[in-house]
Amino acid sequence: MNILVTGCNGQLGNEIQLLEKDHSQHVFFNTDIDELDITNQSAIEAFVEDNKIDGIINCAAYTAVDKAESNKELATSLNTIAPAYLAAAVNKRDGWFIQVSTDYVFDGTKHTPYVEDDTPCPNSVYGSTKFAGELGAVKFCAKTMIIRTAWLYSTFGNNFVKTMMRLGKEKEQLGVIFDQIGTPTYAHDLAVVIMTAIEKGIVPGTYHFSNEGVISWYDFTKAIHRLAGITTCKVLPLHTEEYPTPAQRPPYSVLDKTKIKQVYDLEIPYWEESLAKCISQLK
């Protein structure tokens, strides 16, 4: 197959590129803004047609959650309009579309893990634009697979793991939110699942994926420091109201992975095992 990967310079896009050599039967077109402007409908249509694209993995997104609150136009362009353009273009070739989405489509007021059938109720610009992107993808491409994920980190780009490692080395004391609960996702593990879905065949629908387990940001930070060998920084638990942000965070955003495990016969790694792998690479 000829497969278009958008947002190839991001965390997930980079992890997918590392796996491409193991899937050499396919031709991958790795693009970012310099190679393809996904907000330009005619550019997308020409690219998909000229390169006979059979499937698209859309890793591109506007992910600056707080900045999105004051930059709604750009967030809408990248998170809502672009997925619809991509989906429509590949649908013309009877192709498939993978749209990566987020736990922010929920407000986080539930107390049990979110399943795919739960009604989205975003309370931020980021979450609203990503949910609208899901709707557009499904509307314009019959073979759409939506994968919602959460707390993404990797050895690439800027992310929570790297930030906490850096701050742990720089500071004697650090305050981290303890009353927001979720599950980290190692972008490498998500990339493996995406490749698995492509090889086994895209089963259209919405899926949830993160690593296994449940923790707070505070516990996550304590684990990062322990695995990185950082012992000189004291980590203190903070309430959400002690660290105000422009965008509301879901207080509980644990995703139920039962569906994706059953459909693709997956075994998902525990969050701490994946974190240890990532940190060993960073060190």
Side-chain angles (χ1 to χ4, degrees), residues 29-280:
F29 295 82
N30 299 304
T31 67
D32 216 292
I33 183 66
D34 292 339
E35 295 81 21
L36 177 64
D37 179 1
I38 60 169
T39 65
N40 183 326
Q41 188 174 15
S42 57
I44 291 169
E45 289 174 348
F47 191 98
V48 169
E49 198 53 50
D50 291 348
N51 295 293
K52 297 182 168 50
I53 298 299
D54 300 297
I56 298 176
I57 309 169
N58 183 29
C59 304
Y62 186 92
T63 57
V65 176
D66 289 323
K67 288 182 181 177
E69 293 296 312
S70 57
N71 210 346
K72 189 174 181 180
E73 192 175 334
L74 182 57
T76 301
S77 183
L78 284 167
N79 295 345
T80 303
I81 298 170
Y85 288 164
L86 291 161
V90 79
N91 191 64
K92 286 181 182 175
R93 294 189 44 78
D94 194 30
W96 48 263
F97 184 58
I98 295 178
Q99 169 68 5
V100 180
S101 194
T102 173
D103 58 320
Y104 277 74
V105 302
F106 301 113
D107 63 8
T109 55
K110 204 182 169 192
H111 300 291
T112 53
Y114 282 94
V115 295
E116 291 81 358
D117 291 339
D118 283 328
T119 304
C121 43
N123 59 3
S124 65
V125 168
Y126 172 65
S128 300
T129 56
K130 288 295 287 183
F131 176 50
E134 291 184 10
L135 296 177
V138 171
K139 179 180 178 181
F140 290 108
C141 181
K143 297 177 184 174
T144 290
M145 179 182 186
I146 291 163
I147 307 178
R148 294 179 183 142
T149 192
W151 295 25
L152 200 69
Y153 69 92
S154 75
T155 58
F156 298 100
N158 298 315
N159 55 65
F160 188 81
V161 172
K162 284 185 171 182
T163 300
M164 291 303 109
M165 285 176 70
R166 176 176 56 81
L167 292 176
K169 292 168 185 171
E170 292 174 357
K171 295 180 177 291
E172 293 181 1
Q173 190 169 294
L174 197 57
V176 183
I177 305 291
F178 81 94
D179 56 0
Q180 290 174 20
I181 310 299
T183 310
T185 308
Y186 185 22
H188 171 79
D189 294 337
L190 177 55
V192 168
V193 167
I194 287 172
M195 290 302 201
T196 301
I198 291 168
E199 297 304 350
K200 291 189 175 182
I202 300 297
V203 180
T206 301
Y207 299 85
H208 288 171
F209 180 84
S210 67
N211 284 111
E212 296 283 21
V214 179
I215 51 167
S216 70
W217 290 109
Y218 167 78
D219 296 306
F220 192 25
T221 304
K222 294 283 282 186
I224 291 165
H225 285 188
R226 175 167 45 79
L227 291 167
I230 296 168
T231 57
T232 54
C233 180
K234 185 177 183 180
V235 182
L236 303 173
L238 290 183
H239 291 91
T240 295
E241 57 263 29
E242 294 178 79
Y243 190 77
T245 55
Q248 283 190 56
R249 266 59 174 177
Y252 184 92
S253 63
V254 180
L255 301 175
D256 188 304
K257 280 85 67 173
T258 304
K259 181 180 176 182
I260 202 165
K261 285 191 282 191
Q262 289 178 343
V263 172
Y264 290 104
D265 190 27
L266 299 174
E267 201 168 300
I268 301 175
Y270 179 58
W271 70 266
E272 193 166 347
E273 294 167 18
S274 292
L275 177 62
K277 287 180 184 176
C278 182
I279 287 178
S280 69

